[in-house]
Amino acid sequence: MSSNLAIAMHVAKKELRVQIGYRNKFIADVLSHVIGIVPILLITLALSGSSLNDIDGITRANALFVFLGYAAFMAFGFGTPIMIYTGMAWGISEELQTGTIERNFLAPVSRHTIVAGIGIYYACLYAFHVTTLMILAFFLFPSTAEIPVGNLAVAGTAALGLIALSAGLGLSSAAMFLMIRDGSLFLLFVHRPFMILSGAIFLIELLPGPLKLIALVNPVAYGVDAFRWAFSGHGTLEDPWLEVGIVWAGALVAAIVGVIVLGRVIRRQSRTGELSRI
Amino acid sequence: MIEVKNLRKEFKQNRADAGLLRMLFGRVPSETVTALEDVTFNVEEGEFYSLLGRNGAGKTTTIKVICTLLLADSGTVTVGGHDVERESSSVRAMLGVSIRGERSVYWRLSGRQNLAYFGRLYDVKGAALRNRIEEIGEIVGLSERLDDYVERYSMGMKQRLAIGCALIHRPRVLLLDEPTIGLDAASARDFRDFISHELRARENVTILYTTHYMHEAEEMSDRIGIVNHGRIVAEGTPSKIIGMVPGNSVVTIDAKNAVNIDLSTLSALDSIERVHAESLDSGSSKIRIEAVVGTEVPVADVVHRLTSLGAEIGNLSVSRPTLEDAFLRLTAD
């Protein structure tokens, strides 16, 4: 029997084919992050009273600071349907509506693998978004300063940690979609707080007390901060490597919780009949 | 090949008649519905077995338990000796399943991509997969359309593709849940021909088929199980099922000069249960002769007696009870 990874990659490839089949949606998914950065840039520039052509060093640094946060956060940010952890859930939701999830679950492979395969597609989309945003950042905010290898290592491990964390959360969100068949509550009470309290858009230092406390237990915030530090030299929370550790610890917890929750939901729905009620 | 013993399944269903506020903030009242009361049957290797029942009788629930999508409350199901709950992966590898056929394939992929995708999930790959896709295309009659997007297929073609996907890994058992629903009469006929001739002849699979169309079950099945309120109420070959209910062979004759004939001469014949005659305005008579259950009216003897008594035989028709008659009697509440 093929390995779970091979099967998951196969599912991801199918997901890509299906998404390309919805051409307009696919184009929107691929480009939405670029559109999403525009208001961030405009707000940053407006606040500093400058334009891109004549920004001084401090404003450029500020803009880069915000931009990098956005880049790190992209998977959790504005393009809701294209992010990993909601994406995985959306994938499940779409398959529930079309009726194909049932057919997939009839195959002699782990049902987690099927869900994870859908997540891999969205993970690749996330990686593409972050990469293109980084390239864009270097064009918009050219810097002559050399970035130390250690900083690149922090950025890389933080980005990978965010992907892993997203995948873990993705399993939980997929379970939630399977369970309640509706993404609106999830988006409102889980996704939005994660986004707002990550420091990507609103700096954690500027948040009011209770929200700041909540933000500090959000592992995403540390990934964003570490990523930002790697390229701008400015961080506001902890030591960057400690932050990377927190992100990976969060990813591990999220993966364990995700696997357990998804397994329980599938099992429960096999009993109630929800798994195959379309 | 498939053994189902004392299967029971209940569902809790939320009631739709709760007040708005209660639906929003309270606990929505639910009721327990028994989908399967006590289902027991076996399907032998190579057999075509149909589960026949009304809507909601428990056919699809039974199929879903067998194919591991649903866990039963009690009872056991084995496929090829593997328990569906404890060895679900082995069971799934043996099964080809088509539930809600046309909705179980990806419409935004081509037929070939669908077959390749599902084939790979069953560990069929490389040249074996490519060859099998061509073979399946031929079996399900889609060779010319395999590279078209599925959304351009007719419903019948989608159904056939779904069965193709179910067959891609050469399953030993095929579960087909009401595959002809929504097909027009001609497509349904083509589909039955395909199942009976192409599929059974070429693939030699055991087939468990659910339907509520009597003629389908009668035409294709080796054996039929009639499901009613979550129980198998009758099981056997189509002719055995027909013979289970007090329906019988009936001969109706239009005859002239039969008004004064003593009908007891017909009643005295072997196998005759009842004879009834009525006079028609035209002056002739309509004679209805019913046979004893499980026997046939001896038409030649009847005609001989009537003509020897001076009657002139006009129209003569013979009717036999159908599976539908038997089904309606067996599932009557």
Side-chain angles (χ1 to χ4, degrees):
Chain A
M1 198 69 195
S2 299
S3 70
N4 282 342
L5 180 63
I7 292 292
M9 292 305 293
H10 178 64
V11 174
K13 208 164 126 189
K14 176 271 302 172
E15 189 67 22
L16 174 64
R17 282 214 172 98
V18 170
Q19 294 301 326
I20 289 174
Y22 298 94
R23 197 166 42 189
N24 293 344
K25 179 181 174 293
F26 182 72
I27 291 171
D29 283 357
V30 169
L31 296 180
S32 62
H33 64 305
V34 179
I35 307 298
I37 194 69
V38 172
I40 299 290
L41 272 177
L42 291 176
I43 290 167
T44 309
L45 293 171
L47 285 175
S48 60
S50 307
S51 71
L52 263 181
N53 292 327
D54 63 348
I55 54 178
D56 60 24
I58 294 169
T59 311
R60 178 180 287 125
N62 285 344
L64 177 62
F65 188 77
V66 172
F67 193 102
L68 288 171
Y70 178 75
F73 189 74
M74 190 56 228
F76 301 87
F78 292 101
T80 299
I82 57 168
M83 293 174 296
I84 306 173
Y85 82 99
T86 47
M88 204 182 282
W90 283 116
I92 288 289
S93 173
E94 276 177 18
E95 298 231 13
L96 275 169
Q97 281 170 25
T98 56
T100 45
I101 195 71
E102 203 176 59
R103 182 66 188 80
N104 276 277
F105 284 174
L106 287 169
V109 294
S110 155
R111 287 166 178 171
H112 285 77
T113 306
I114 302 282
V115 176
I118 295 170
I120 287 177
Y121 162 76
Y122 290 98
C124 292
L125 200 56
Y126 164 82
F128 169 76
H129 285 172
V130 173
T131 308
T132 48
L133 281 174
M134 292 307 297
I135 292 169
L136 201 59
F138 282 104
F139 277 113
L140 288 174
F141 310 102
S143 170
T144 50
E146 210 169 279
I147 300 167
V149 176
N151 288 29
L152 287 176
V154 166
T157 46
L160 286 174
L162 282 173
I163 291 176
L165 177 62
S166 301
L169 292 169
L171 292 175
S172 296
S173 63
M176 199 175 290
F177 264 67
L178 275 175
M179 208 161 61
I180 59 176
R181 314 218 156 199
D182 179 13
S184 50
L185 286 179
F186 176 78
L187 291 174
L188 199 60
F189 293 112
V190 180
H191 167 252
R192 292 263 166 85
F194 257 110
M195 179 181 81
I196 293 166
L197 302 177
S198 69
I201 298 161
F202 302 100
L203 290 181
I204 290 174
E205 295 298 316
L206 301 176
L207 290 169
L211 288 181
K212 190 175 170 184
L213 272 179
I214 299 172
L216 289 175
V217 295
N218 176 9
V220 179
Y222 297 96
V224 169
D225 200 54
F227 194 79
R228 220 176 225 160
W229 172 86
F231 292 101
S232 71
H234 300 287
T236 59
L237 299 176
E238 300 288 344
D239 173 78
W241 279 112
L242 177 61
E243 290 181 329
V244 169
I246 292 171
V247 173
W248 276 100
L252 186 65
V253 171
I256 292 169
V257 170
V259 167
I260 293 171
V261 168
L262 182 62
R264 287 180 75 110
V265 166
I266 288 177
R267 179 93 186 156
R268 184 175 179 275
Q269 298 210 326
S270 298
R271 283 210 182 283
T272 60
E274 291 291 324
L275 190 62
S276 54
R277 188 179 299 157
I278 297 168
Chain B
M1 179 58 78
I2 303 175
E3 284 188 26
V4 179
K5 279 186 196 161
N6 307 116
L7 207 57
R8 183 177 175 82
K9 182 71 196 173
E10 288 182 346
F11 293 111
K12 273 198 173 172
Q13 289 183 343
N14 286 345
R15 288 176 52 181
D17 58 353
L20 272 178
L21 284 176
R22 197 165 180 192
M23 282 178 79
L24 258 179
F25 303 110
R27 195 179 175 84
V28 180
S30 61
E31 57 192 3
T32 302
V33 176
T34 303
L36 301 178
E37 180 83 38
D38 183 8
V39 172
T40 300
F41 66 95
N42 294 331
V43 183
E44 303 299 328
E45 187 156 10
E47 192 176 27
F48 191 121
Y49 188 102
S50 290
L51 284 175
L52 192 59
R54 296 166 188 244
N55 292 328
K59 307 181 296 291
T60 301
T61 304
T62 306
I63 290 274
K64 283 182 176 174
V65 172
I66 296 171
C67 72
T68 77
L69 276 178
L70 191 63
L71 294 171
D73 295 339
S74 62
T76 57
V77 179
T78 59
V79 178
H82 298 282
D83 184 275
V84 294
E85 200 166 329
R86 288 196 304 274
E87 302 163 278
S88 58
S89 194
S90 306
V91 169
R92 292 205 290 262
M94 290 174 69
L95 294 177
V97 187
S98 173
I99 298 179
R100 271 185 284 271
E102 91 282 1
R103 290 197 64 194
S104 66
V105 290
Y106 292 95
W107 291 23
R108 294 283 177 139
L109 298 183
S110 69
R112 187 184 302 279
Q113 287 167 341
N114 268 285
L115 289 166
Y117 173 66
F118 288 113
R120 189 72 182 77
L121 290 187
Y122 286 85
D123 209 27
V124 186
K125 50 194 169 189
L129 179 59
R130 286 191 294 277
N131 293 338
R132 183 63 177 159
I133 289 172
E134 295 305 328
E135 199 179 355
I136 291 287
E138 209 179 296
I139 292 170
V140 299
L142 291 174
S143 292
E144 304 296 317
R145 302 289 304 274
L146 275 183
D147 293 309
D148 277 1
Y149 281 115
V150 173
E151 64 186 357
R152 293 179 194 152
Y153 287 10
S154 68
M155 191 180 276
M157 290 164 75
K158 285 175 188 143
Q159 290 280 20
R160 278 186 280 154
L161 176 66
I163 291 185
C165 291
L167 287 170
I168 192 80
H169 59 296
R170 298 182 195 279
R172 291 170 64 191
V173 180
L174 191 59
L175 307 183
L176 301 175
D177 186 32
E178 302 189 347
T180 55
I181 274 191
L183 297 187
D184 61 53
S187 303
R189 158 69 62 184
D190 289 347
F191 191 81
R192 288 198 300 276
D193 286 346
F194 155 67
I195 297 279
S196 300
H197 303 123
E198 286 293 310
L199 198 58
R200 291 196 76 189
R202 292 183 61 164
E203 294 289 307
N204 192 29
V205 287
T206 304
I207 299 177
L208 177 58
Y209 190 94
T210 74
T211 182
H212 51 250
Y213 298 133
M214 310 298 143
H215 59 287
E216 278 190 353
E218 189 169 3
E219 184 182 319
M220 298 191 291
S221 313
D222 297 320
R223 282 192 306 144
I224 293 171
I226 293 187
V227 194
N228 195 36
H229 296 307
R231 286 175 180 275
I232 300 274
V233 293
E235 189 185 45
T237 60
S239 55
K240 185 180 167 193
I241 299 260
I242 292 166
M244 279 181 186
V245 295
N248 45 19
S249 162
V250 176
V251 170
T252 308
I253 299 170
D254 288 340
K256 284 183 181 169
N257 305 327
V259 177
N260 298 320
I261 288 177
D262 180 7
L263 295 176
S264 62
T265 56
L266 297 178
S267 304
L269 286 169
D270 284 346
S271 312
I272 301 294
E273 170 86 13
R274 187 182 303 129
V275 179
H276 171 77
E278 61 178 295
S279 299
L280 303 176
D281 292 342
S282 58
S284 58
S285 303
K286 183 183 275 293
I287 305 170
R288 180 183 160 86
I289 305 157
E290 293 180 26
V292 172
V293 171
T295 67
E296 297 284 332
V297 173
V299 180
D301 290 347
V302 168
V303 170
H304 178 72
R305 291 218 176 175
L306 284 173
T307 49
S308 65
L309 291 167
E312 289 177 37
I313 306 294
N315 289 331
L316 184 151
S317 64
V318 179
S319 65
R320 292 182 177 82
T322 62
L323 185 61
E324 186 172 69
D325 297 327
F327 175 82
L328 291 174
R329 296 267 184 103
L330 289 164
T331 59
D333 290 323

